[in-house]
Amino acid sequence: MKKNIKVVVNGQAYEKEVAVQKTLLDFLREDLNLTGTKKGCDNGDCGSCTVLLNGKAVSSCIMLAVEADQCEVLTIEGMSRGEQLHPIQTAFIESGAIQCGYCTPGMVMAAKALLDVNPRPSESEIREAIAGHLCRCTGYDQIVKAIKMAADYLNARERSC
């Protein structure tokens, strides 16, 4: 069985017919060719598939695409503006929070969800925001450092406007 959905992904409107059992992750990767969102555990446990749905972080591997009908989705591809990286992406690179990069898109999206509602998070708030994300390469200190750095970049940018 299929259902027609309307969704805005990274600012672009789509109207697609999707199988009702298709996950949002598979819809993004297979139907829209947005492969930056990673497929990890398929159980919502690792955080690799995190995207923002109407501004909130969700595990796209355990959410059906039809549940995103009439919603806005932001993926890692929607973070940068052309060649210009988002300050969160820049902070991840500069702080060495990227190793294999598999968890990075989900971590960046979780950081964005946090910083959008809390521009000056404490270390414990950062650790809580990324608690559902698994990184087997860097450990979490570099990621926490990256999110703190991103908060500084975003706050400095806001002060200059």
Side-chain angles (χ1 to χ4, degrees):
M1 182 175 179
K2 292 189 172 189
K3 182 180 178 190
N4 197 50
I5 65 169
K6 293 180 182 176
V7 62
V8 175
V9 179
N10 301 332
Q12 183 173 346
Y14 295 92
E15 185 170 350
K16 295 270 187 180
E17 187 173 75
V18 297
V20 293
Q21 73 275 12
K22 185 172 243 184
T23 66
L24 178 58
L25 174 63
D26 288 339
F27 172 72
L28 294 169
R29 292 181 59 85
E30 296 169 5
D31 294 31
L32 303 184
N33 199 31
L34 296 171
T35 57
T37 304
K38 301 303 181 205
K39 192 171 202 166
C41 67
D42 262 344
N43 293 315
D45 293 330
C46 74
S48 297
C49 67
T50 300
V51 297
L52 300 190
L53 182 78
N54 293 338
K56 294 188 177 183
V58 298
S59 297
S60 63
C61 73
I62 57 171
M63 180 177 182
L64 297 174
V66 295
E67 295 177 286
D69 187 28
Q70 306 296 325
C71 293
E72 290 191 31
V73 177
L74 180 67
T75 71
I76 193 70
E77 288 92 345
M79 290 289 290
S80 62
R81 291 188 176 168
E83 296 295 317
Q84 183 180 2
L85 295 177
H86 188 279
I88 297 172
Q89 294 169 309
T90 300
F92 268 70
I93 293 168
E94 290 178 355
S95 66
I98 297 173
Q99 291 288 316
C100 80
Y102 206 81
C103 71
T104 304
M107 293 281 194
V108 167
M109 300 314 293
K112 177 152 180 39
L114 171 65
L115 297 175
D116 282 351
V117 296
N118 182 357
R120 292 178 178 76
S122 67
E123 182 173 332
S124 65
E125 289 169 326
I126 293 170
R127 289 187 182 277
E128 183 178 328
I130 61 171
H133 295 259
L134 299 178
C135 173
R136 294 181 176 92
C137 299
T138 65
Y140 297 91
D141 290 341
Q142 295 304 97
I143 294 166
V144 171
K145 180 180 173 184
I147 296 172
K148 283 182 182 177
M149 184 183 292
D152 291 343
Y153 288 164
L154 291 167
N155 291 323
R157 186 169 78 177
E158 189 170 299
R159 282 193 302 266
S160 68
C161 294

